């Protein structure tokens, strides 16, 4: 029987205690499970140290998963502990890409009985991690606008934020290099840059629709759609995953992506960080493991 550590962030809003109880019961039914509640992600390294030999299961969204993987990286345990994921966040984008059930109880059963699969990881200049996607530009403004809307609109908050941000954002003169190739030279304004390990952001917006979380490369999307009408058309097609066919959108794949230019914030797995004048992300192939449905 597997030995699991079910991690609940008590400070995260919107957690349904009845659903949480069902999830914990399902985990306990199929595995030797210990529940642990934290109030801050900074507690994760110590918590993992208190329960050696147990595979952690995160009950939360992409942000919670990001923090857990970062803690495992800090402890040097990415290759020795397999992560279970029960999507209980507002976006759950990596769960969508991986085929993890969005129903929490079904996902708990997978976390306890599924198979380990190796996934890629993006590492930045400071050793930080990205498990799903990182983006800059209008998507960051959309996320900032969506933040206060989350309690009311849940996964639709990002869509609302995207519409509002798309009206006002004019773009940023960013330089984008992928494996040394210049994709944007910094003289032309860029509306949005997305670097995807997973396919979607914001609860289902397919920013890099062809990305594979275990294909050993990152999918990069750069949009130059900065005019008012171009922004509108880009936003509509982005929601459908058809934006990559536009002439003012460039898509490439690579293992090392560098952004530079004026100070910008970036969104990494739903968390706003920065601002940075330069940042590089490098693919670490098959750097961590997650439990997925059998077959």
């Amino acid at each position: 029987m597997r030995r699991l550590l079910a991690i609940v962030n008590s400070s995260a809003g919107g957690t349904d205690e009845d659903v949480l109880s069902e999830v914990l019961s399902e985990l306990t039914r199929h595995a030797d499970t210990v529940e642990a509640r934290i109030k801050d992600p900074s507690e994760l390294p110590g918590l993992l140290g208190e329960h050696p030999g147990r595979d952690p299961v995160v009950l939360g969204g992409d942000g919670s998963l990001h923090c857990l993987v970062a803690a495992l990286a800090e402890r040097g345990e990415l290759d020795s502990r397999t992560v279970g994921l029960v999507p209980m966040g507002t976006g759950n984008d990596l769960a969508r890409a991986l085929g993890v059930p969005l129903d929490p109880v079904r996902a708990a059963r997978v976390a306890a009985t599924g198979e380990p699969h190796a996934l890629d990881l993006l590492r930045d200049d400071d050793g930080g991690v990205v498990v799903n996607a990182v983006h800059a530009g209008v998507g960051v403004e959309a996320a900032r606008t969506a933040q206060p809307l989350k309690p009311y609109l849940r996964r639709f908050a990002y869509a609302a934020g995207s519409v509002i941000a798309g009206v006002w954002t004019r773009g940023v003169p960013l330089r984008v290099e992928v494996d040394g190739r210049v994709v944007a030279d910094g003289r032309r304004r860029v509306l949005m840059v997305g670097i995807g390990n997973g396919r979607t952001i914001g609860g289902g917006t397919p920013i890099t629709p062809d990305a594979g979380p275990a294909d050993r490369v990152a999918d990069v999307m750069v949009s130059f759609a900065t005019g008012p009408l171009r922004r509108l058309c880009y936003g509509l097609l982005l929601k459908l995953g058809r934006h990559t066919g536009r002439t003012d959108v460039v898509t490439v794949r690579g293992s090392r992506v560098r952004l530079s230019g004026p100070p910008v914030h970036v969104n990494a797995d739903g968390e706003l960080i920065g601002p940075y004048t330069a940042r590089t992300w490098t693919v670490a192939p098959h750097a961590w493991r997650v439990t997925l449905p059998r077959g």
Side-chain angles (χ1 to χ4, degrees):
M1 180 176 285
R2 290 182 178 175
R3 302 178 69 233
L4 303 179
L5 173 63
I7 303 174
V8 182
N9 186 349
S10 300
S11 64
T15 301
D16 187 315
E17 287 294 330
D18 290 335
V19 174
L20 185 60
S21 178
E22 290 184 61
V23 166
L24 293 170
S25 295
E26 189 69 15
L27 289 172
T28 303
R29 183 176 297 117
H30 298 284
D32 175 3
T33 304
V34 171
E35 175 193 354
R37 299 206 176 206
I38 61 172
K39 294 182 179 179
D40 190 271
S42 63
E43 300 173 43
L44 283 169
L47 177 63
L48 292 167
E50 293 170 9
H51 298 276
R54 289 187 178 274
D55 286 335
V57 179
V58 61
L59 280 59
D62 293 319
S64 298
L65 179 62
H66 170 103
C67 292
L68 174 59
V69 174
L72 290 171
E74 179 183 330
R75 291 180 52 83
E77 295 180 336
L78 284 176
D79 59 352
S80 62
R81 299 174 87 162
T82 301
V83 175
L85 174 59
V86 177
M88 297 179 70
T90 54
N92 304 315
D93 286 289
L94 190 61
R96 297 171 192 273
L98 297 175
V100 173
L102 296 183
D103 175 76
V105 177
R106 290 179 57 206
R109 191 176 310 126
V110 169
T113 65
E115 297 176 328
H117 287 256
L119 300 182
D120 301 334
L121 194 64
L122 298 177
R123 304 297 299 264
D124 64 29
D125 309 84
D126 297 325
V129 304
V130 176
V131 297
N132 180 57
V134 57
H135 57 96
V138 69
V140 170
E141 298 307 314
R144 295 174 69 176
T145 304
Q147 195 67 34
L149 302 177
K150 279 187 176 182
Y152 310 102
L153 300 181
R154 300 290 290 169
R155 62 178 290 249
F156 300 105
Y158 185 79
S162 297
V163 172
I164 297 170
V167 172
W168 299 106
T169 302
R170 295 179 56 242
V172 184
L174 287 176
R175 182 180 177 87
V176 183
E177 301 167 71
V178 180
D179 290 344
R181 170 191 171 188
V182 177
V183 179
D185 61 14
R187 294 193 295 268
R188 184 181 178 187
R189 287 183 175 272
V190 170
L191 180 69
M192 187 176 189
V193 179
I195 307 168
N197 188 40
R199 301 184 185 96
T200 67
I201 60 175
T205 299
I207 185 172
T208 48
D210 297 321
D215 61 6
R216 300 176 181 268
V217 292
D219 281 39
V220 183
M221 184 282 306
V222 182
S223 170
F224 297 98
T226 54
L229 182 57
R230 287 178 178 269
R231 291 200 306 266
L232 175 61
C233 293
Y234 168 80
L236 293 173
L237 291 176
L238 175 63
K239 291 302 296 180
L240 299 173
R242 293 166 50 192
H243 58 296
T244 56
R246 291 178 56 89
T247 57
D248 52 13
V249 172
V250 177
T251 59
V252 294
R253 286 179 171 174
S255 59
R256 186 174 183 271
V257 185
R258 178 174 174 81
L259 304 187
S260 57
V264 293
H265 287 85
V266 299
N267 183 310
D269 293 335
E271 303 298 317
L272 297 178
I273 56 177
Y276 304 114
T277 56
R279 202 70 169 168
T280 301
W281 290 269
T282 303
V283 176
H286 295 191
W288 65 295
R289 298 194 308 266
V290 65
T291 302
L292 298 180
R294 292 184 178 275

